[in-house]
Amino acid sequence: MSRQNSDLAQTKKHLRAPNEVMDLKRLGSFYPYKLSFMRKLMRKVMQEQWRINLALFNLDKKGYGEAIYEIKTPSNCYHFVVFANFLDPSLRTDRVIAEAWDLTVTLRHGSFDPTELESLRKNVPLQEKGRMTAQSLVLSRANKSSRTFEYVINQLSSGKQPSIKKINEVGYLYRTTAVYGSGKFGMADWSKIKMSYADFTEPFSAEMFSCFMIRQFSLDQADHIASMCAPELSVRLDDNIKRYFGIGNATGLGMAPFLIKHPLLINSWIETREFALAQVLSHTLPNNNTLHIFSILMQRAITHLNEIATNNESQNKINCDASQALSSILKWLNQEKVNLTNWQQMIQYVSDNYNVEAQELINTILIEVHPEEVLALENNHDIEEIYELTPEMKLLNLKKIIENQYQWALQYDFKSKNANAIFWYRSEEKMEPRLGDRDFDNGAEKEILIGIARAVEQCYATITALPSEMKINNVAEFVFAYPEHRHIIRRIQTMAKTKYGEIQANLLDKDVLPIHLLRCKLSFFGVGKFDPKSRLWVRNTMFQGAPIVSDIGTQYKDDWIFPVMPSNESSKGNEIH
Amino acid sequence: MKFIRISINEFKALLNRACEAYYGHKYDFEDTAAIIQWLELHELMGVVNFLEITNVDPKKLKLLPVISEDQKKRFVFHNQDHSLIHTSSIITDMTLAKCHRDNLCHTNIINILDPIAILPSLIKCSQKGYHAKAWWTDSEKNLLHMASINPNEQYPSYSIIKINTLIPNNNSDLDLICSRNRINSIESSIKIQPISNKENIIQEISVNEFKQYYNHKIINGLHIKTNYYQKLLQIADQILVEASEQSRLGAGE
């Protein structure tokens, strides 16, 4: 066995079991990590030194108007176009069904022909009702944070910097309410982006970059309005404070069906994360340096958790418990570090004594401490999503696959009311995904096929109840007789070759918590500071602590995990480089 | 004539919704949508053919073909005058399973509409490592359609040939051969002479041309007649549920 193969075998030994990882509650405890999409994007932007300049900044004194940023990467040129309009505060809503926004934006490829601005003016502010060209990569919109925006402008106009504590209550000036890419509304297809734009070949990277640019515009706009209000007195936002501003985001149920409909993609995301953890566990040992960095990050995570401001009681408790758990683990680590011979000992201790939230925080920090082990996995996320039937497979084999790999799906009793209480559907209002109660709401006959456990259970029940006289031997014969199961069998057969694609939960259950699905997906994006508004939607913060445009070209530390208030005394000395 | 330009992803999502609305969950609607999408993206009238199908009340659809003959290396299916768009997958499944067992399967499908829908199925045969050929005739125009593919290829080659002799096959029949070994000739099966004369070939789509059709649409999107697009939207919208104050609560307000 070559050394490479032996290393791989060692890593594989440390991979966690699917039933442990794919548990819904654990998925809902994931934190952004080293290979989250925003972190990857920032590494690329900073390492390649993208040049981002204002090509047009035509805003009036209230900040309304148009702005165009020109973005030059080593291989391409893009433009980020912003339309900032007055919005009646009574119309400001996070819901996807909104019709007007404070900002509407697009990211497009190529040189900018001024005549195209007119077409963008007509279409971008319409969002879903407009049509875009195949040169456009992203269409998005954002609303002001009513709490922060006015406050920041007032402070800057009166020559003062805003209070960090006050900023921390929200964390951003604008909040995006939808970010569209991948061919929506006539824009460039994902296949085209992969083929033509080397800068955005990672999934969702163009969307993430657009959010980064909205954040940048929000900071530029704030400086502009303040300087227009009080040209003599005003000050510009301090760069340290600018970095502490993120861009807000409101995410609803729309993300949940995505996770279910793309299990191969999800498998690839989670497998990469699990592989990174396994790689660290199998190939590194604690030493003075890594233990020191580990402790610094633990302390920073504690501060970060303590600083999160949310009115959601349950989230507050999660943050508070996690912070206490980390403090206690840190104490244990300080006592035990001389005896710690491998990281697995610590993982075992945390797993035996603390909940999944604390466990996943520790895993995230452990990965962060070992960049050399995980950055090699950076380009692993893109896969071809094909769910093909294997018609020649013996029916008995299919049955065994279900029994072995989908056992989790067979544990529910779908005859019970609670297990089949909820249905997911698309509303006529912008096709917004919604949940309905089978007993009370209309539309169950049009439900989205999101109940994987139920579909597997029904397929399995049909197989086990097959009359022997039917003489069905293989999958082709079975789907010929029962075509309603072809869809789920394609999925089962495809996913049987993977480890982590299926979320092991019944999404039709009365007490289902879709918020776990949202948080899982958002963690892969790199989103933090979750502020749930109900069990169905969540506000969160992106790019908090990340570099700003003026940092491009300076040395990059890639050290903005668990952002903390810049003026907070406890954060001093928390830098790991 | 008015056209609308849409992206491939948009088109795929639209077809998925339209097929879900029309076929319901009793069939593999996503697979059917994928066939229509493939045909349209490769200039083979997927949308027109699908819209034609939707003129029939879905409740009256009997989508399953009937097996008329099932022997070693041989299947005959009766497609009951339905479109091959919604049966080609399950017929191909059966053919592939038999080919896996017997190394070859010659499948004859009688009484079909839209035989062109076999083309994406040939790719499935190829992906499984088989050689595959399909042919069918148009007796009104005296045309023979032939498509073939080798193992692990992305596209088949497809040609339409003018024939001078009487066509032995029925107009609505299709033959599909799937084999582990190279299929050297189909002349013996259909007894038509001469089929290889280049002068008689009236249309040919090569593997490269198929690729070009697709790549062009990746870059530019595809243009669909506005009235077809509207009709697809109309069908697709049937899966949407009426909104109400109560339903808005179901999104988390």
Side-chain angles (χ1 to χ4, degrees):
Chain A
M1 191 187 275
S2 71
R3 182 160 173 204
Q4 212 174 6
N5 283 346
S6 138
D7 283 355
L8 186 64
Q10 273 299 102
T11 304
K12 284 187 171 174
K13 269 189 201 166
H14 283 84
L15 284 173
R16 294 190 288 178
N19 59 353
E20 182 184 352
V21 178
M22 301 310 290
D23 172 72
L24 189 56
K25 193 168 179 207
R26 184 176 293 277
L27 293 174
S29 303
F30 278 8
Y31 279 79
Y33 83 120
K34 195 86 183 167
L35 301 180
S36 292
F37 306 155
M38 283 177 208
R39 299 283 302 278
K40 287 164 81 172
L41 174 73
M42 288 321 299
R43 279 196 289 275
K44 191 176 179 72
V45 169
M46 297 300 283
Q47 280 159 11
E48 294 181 354
Q49 303 197 4
W50 292 14
R51 282 180 291 150
I52 302 175
N53 293 302
L54 269 170
L56 174 80
F57 199 67
N58 188 15
L59 303 188
D60 67 15
K61 62 182 183 182
K62 289 185 174 172
Y64 305 131
E66 296 161 357
I68 302 176
Y69 293 83
E70 185 188 68
I71 299 119
K72 284 193 172 160
T73 71
S75 54
N76 274 300
C77 177
Y78 306 88
H79 288 87
F80 184 73
V81 184
V82 184
F83 298 96
N85 293 315
F86 169 76
L87 178 68
D88 182 337
S90 67
L91 298 176
R92 194 173 286 135
T93 166
D94 283 357
R95 295 290 295 274
V96 78
I97 55 178
E99 300 283 350
W101 305 270
D102 287 308
L103 292 186
T104 52
V105 303
T106 187
L107 175 68
R108 61 186 304 289
H109 172 253
S111 56
F112 198 80
D113 175 352
T115 57
E116 286 175 63
L117 189 57
E118 192 48 40
S119 160
L120 294 178
R121 252 183 221 130
K122 282 183 187 158
N123 287 285
V124 175
L126 294 179
Q127 295 284 292
E128 293 92 340
K129 288 183 178 166
R131 294 298 300 171
M132 305 300 291
T133 68
Q135 276 65 52
S136 296
L137 279 73
V138 176
L139 179 72
S140 180
R141 70 288 192 107
N143 285 337
K144 282 174 187 160
S145 158
S146 42
R147 275 192 281 172
T148 326
F149 199 84
E150 289 303 318
Y151 166 72
V152 170
I153 301 294
N154 287 340
Q155 288 295 106
L156 295 178
S157 320
S158 54
K160 290 180 278 189
Q161 291 295 330
S163 142
I164 296 290
K165 272 193 175 172
K166 192 94 176 153
I167 293 170
N168 179 58
E169 287 170 16
V170 175
Y172 46 81
L173 292 167
Y174 276 88
R175 186 164 55 239
T176 61
T177 62
V179 187
Y180 295 115
S182 298
K184 290 263 171 63
F185 319 115
M187 290 190 288
D189 269 302
W190 173 230
S191 315
K192 177 182 178 177
I193 293 173
K194 277 196 290 186
M195 197 162 80
S196 312
Y197 311 130
D199 310 301
F200 298 117
T201 50
E202 291 289 330
F204 297 101
S205 53
E207 288 91 330
M208 294 299 108
F209 182 70
S210 296
C211 294
F212 173 74
M213 290 306 298
I214 295 175
R215 171 192 186 233
Q216 185 61 40
F217 173 79
S218 74
L219 302 170
D220 291 343
Q221 189 196 32
D223 275 343
H224 168 80
I225 298 172
S227 74
M228 296 299 275
C229 283
E232 303 296 322
L233 191 59
S234 68
V235 290
R236 294 173 68 81
L237 256 177
D238 181 84
D239 277 356
N240 272 331
I241 299 179
K242 280 184 177 174
R243 286 182 201 103
Y244 189 61
F245 271 111
I247 175 76
N249 172 260
T251 293
L253 279 185
M255 274 200 176
F258 179 92
L259 290 180
I260 306 302
K261 281 180 178 283
H262 299 274
L264 278 176
L265 188 65
I266 301 314
N267 176 69
S268 141
W269 295 0
I270 293 180
E271 195 171 56
T272 302
R273 190 180 185 277
E274 290 303 308
F275 203 85
L277 180 62
Q279 186 92 336
V280 170
L281 292 176
S282 59
H283 288 82
T284 71
L285 295 174
N287 59 40
N288 285 345
N289 182 42
T290 50
L291 280 167
H292 175 64
I293 296 173
F294 193 88
S295 301
I296 289 175
L297 286 176
M298 290 269 282
Q299 190 54 58
R300 194 197 292 173
I302 292 167
T303 311
H304 169 82
L305 288 163
N306 291 342
E307 287 178 357
I308 295 176
T310 166
N311 293 326
N312 185 287
E313 273 181 35
S314 150
Q315 187 63 44
N316 264 330
K317 186 170 179 341
I318 290 171
N319 295 339
C320 187
D321 290 350
S323 161
Q324 283 171 7
L326 288 196
S327 298
S328 153
I329 296 165
L330 193 53
K331 245 183 229 165
W332 174 85
L333 191 63
N334 284 333
Q335 286 161 5
E336 293 295 320
K337 63 184 170 190
V338 283
N339 303 321
L340 202 65
T341 53
N342 60 61
W343 291 116
Q344 191 62 50
Q345 277 175 268
M346 182 186 67
I347 294 287
Q348 193 59 52
Y349 168 76
V350 174
S351 159
D352 290 344
N353 295 284
Y354 298 94
N355 66 13
V356 290
E357 190 85 16
Q359 291 168 27
E360 292 311 321
L361 269 165
I362 294 295
N363 292 339
T364 302
I365 296 171
L366 199 50
I367 293 172
E368 190 72 25
V369 172
H370 296 93
E372 67 285 1
E373 296 295 332
V374 298
L375 288 180
L377 306 170
E378 194 153 42
N379 300 321
N380 262 1
H381 275 160
D382 184 39
I383 46 111
E384 201 70 40
E385 279 200 277
I386 297 169
Y387 302 88
E388 205 61 82
L389 194 86
T390 307
E392 69 276 12
M393 182 184 278
K394 295 282 175 213
L395 198 60
L396 268 179
N397 286 354
L398 176 67
K399 188 166 169 268
K400 273 185 200 157
I401 288 175
I402 296 175
E403 286 162 353
N404 293 333
Q405 285 179 260
Y406 282 83
Q407 207 202 7
W408 61 271
L410 302 179
Q411 68 181 328
Y412 306 106
D413 175 12
F414 287 100
K415 288 190 189 97
S416 83
K417 211 170 173 183
N418 285 352
N420 202 20
I422 297 294
F423 67 95
W424 297 58
Y425 65 94
R426 288 150 290 213
S427 162
E428 64 177 1
E429 289 180 321
K430 291 196 182 180
M431 290 196 273
E432 183 181 51
R434 292 178 182 171
L435 292 192
D437 183 318
R438 273 182 218 282
D439 281 344
F440 301 108
D441 295 313
N442 296 327
E445 72 285 359
K446 296 179 179 180
E447 71 180 302
I448 304 174
L449 282 180
I450 204 168
I452 300 305
R454 187 183 63 182
V456 170
E457 190 265 347
Q458 287 170 342
C459 176
Y460 184 76
T462 309
I463 293 172
T464 49
L466 272 180
S468 56
E469 64 270 20
M470 278 186 83
K471 289 184 184 162
I472 289 179
N473 291 312
N474 58 37
V475 166
E477 291 163 359
F478 182 71
V479 298
F480 192 83
Y482 301 97
E484 67 272 26
H485 296 309
R486 191 176 187 276
H487 179 260
I488 192 66
I489 293 174
R490 272 198 291 130
R491 181 182 179 115
I492 293 168
Q493 291 179 319
T494 305
M495 297 315 296
K497 297 168 199 151
T498 69
K499 216 169 159 73
Y500 299 116
E502 293 288 12
I503 292 165
Q504 302 194 0
N506 172 24
L507 300 184
L508 310 178
D509 190 88
K510 180 174 146 287
D511 298 320
V512 67
L513 286 174
I515 197 109
H516 291 319
L517 293 171
L518 310 187
R519 199 176 136 181
C520 169
K521 189 176 173 194
L522 290 167
S523 76
F524 282 99
F525 283 11
V527 173
K529 291 204 167 172
F530 302 100
D531 179 13
K533 294 296 162 187
S534 78
R535 67 178 181 137
L536 305 180
W537 72 285
V538 61
R539 282 183 181 163
N540 48 74
T541 311
M542 304 188 279
F543 289 109
Q544 193 172 31
I548 51 177
V549 163
S550 59
D551 290 331
I552 301 173
T554 62
Q555 199 192 358
Y556 181 52
K557 292 178 179 166
D558 189 20
D559 183 26
W560 49 285
I561 190 170
F562 305 125
V564 294
M565 288 196 264
S567 61
N568 191 315
E569 285 303 310
S570 64
S571 72
K572 284 190 180 161
N574 273 359
E575 301 82 11
I576 61 170
H577 295 277
Chain B
M1 197 158 303
K2 282 188 174 175
F3 289 86
I4 181 166
R5 190 193 62 79
I6 60 175
S7 72
I8 294 178
N9 277 3
E10 237 178 326
F11 182 55
K12 182 182 174 187
L14 176 62
L15 283 177
N16 270 338
R17 297 199 306 276
C19 285
E20 185 173 3
Y22 184 72
Y23 294 107
H25 295 166
K26 283 190 287 182
Y27 302 97
D28 190 350
F29 66 87
E30 281 181 358
D31 197 67
T32 307
I35 290 170
I36 300 163
Q37 184 193 337
W38 192 94
L39 293 173
E40 189 67 28
L41 294 181
H42 297 92
E43 312 276 324
L44 293 169
M45 303 209 306
V47 170
V48 176
N49 288 335
F50 173 61
L51 291 177
E52 190 81 15
I53 292 170
T54 60
N55 289 329
V56 180
D57 179 354
K59 285 174 194 153
K60 291 182 184 162
L61 275 183
K62 284 181 192 165
L63 294 189
L64 292 182
V66 174
I67 301 175
S68 311
E69 197 180 321
D70 178 359
Q71 292 177 32
K72 192 171 184 197
K73 300 184 181 182
R74 179 95 180 125
F75 265 130
V76 178
F77 293 96
H78 195 298
N79 209 48
Q80 310 195 80
D81 295 319
H82 281 304
S83 170
L84 194 62
I85 282 177
H86 42 236
T87 55
S88 71
S89 283
I90 49 173
I91 289 175
T92 308
D93 293 341
M94 295 288 273
T95 303
L96 281 169
K98 194 172 287 266
C99 185
H100 177 79
R101 198 184 59 198
D102 300 340
N103 294 327
L104 182 140
C105 181
H106 184 167
T107 296
N108 184 227
I109 317 164
I110 57 175
N111 290 325
I112 57 164
L113 301 174
D114 307 324
I116 193 76
I118 200 69
L119 263 59
S121 292
L122 291 182
I123 300 170
K124 289 181 190 171
C125 300
S126 167
Q127 285 165 346
K128 293 273 177 196
Y130 298 127
H131 300 265
K133 279 195 178 186
W135 67 95
W136 64 98
T137 53
D138 176 345
S139 58
E140 271 177 28
K141 296 178 185 164
N142 242 29
L143 298 177
L144 171 70
H145 296 248
M146 286 204 313
S148 65
I149 194 164
N150 291 318
N152 306 313
E153 286 185 345
Q154 219 180 340
Y155 284 105
S157 59
Y158 169 56
S159 48
I160 305 172
I161 302 155
K162 185 85 182 163
I163 42 180
N164 302 319
T165 50
L166 280 178
I167 296 171
N169 287 14
N170 288 330
N171 191 30
S172 58
D173 288 5
L174 181 144
D175 283 80
L176 166 68
I177 293 183
C178 184
S179 169
R180 265 193 214 284
N181 303 311
R182 186 173 289 279
I183 306 161
N184 288 322
S185 165
I186 59 164
E187 282 87 340
S188 57
S189 305
I190 56 176
K191 298 185 178 69
I192 296 168
Q193 298 291 334
I195 64 161
S196 54
N197 187 341
K198 286 217 165 185
E199 285 168 19
N200 291 337
I201 297 175
I202 61 167
Q203 194 190 346
E204 202 168 15
I205 305 178
S206 66
V207 169
N208 276 342
E209 280 166 319
F210 274 126
K211 270 186 199 162
Q212 278 169 17
Y213 290 150
Y214 183 62
N215 286 341
H216 182 266
K217 290 180 179 71
I218 287 180
I219 301 298
N220 303 299
L222 63 160
H223 290 81
I224 293 188
K225 281 183 187 168
T226 309
N227 58 334
Y228 291 166
Y229 178 72
Q230 293 298 345
K231 206 166 172 196
L232 280 176
L233 268 184
Q234 218 172 29
I235 299 166
D237 284 352
Q238 290 167 25
I239 59 160
L240 303 180
V241 175
E242 201 179 331
S244 64
E245 281 308 312
Q246 168 70 17
S247 81
R248 283 181 200 114
L249 297 176
E253 194 74 328

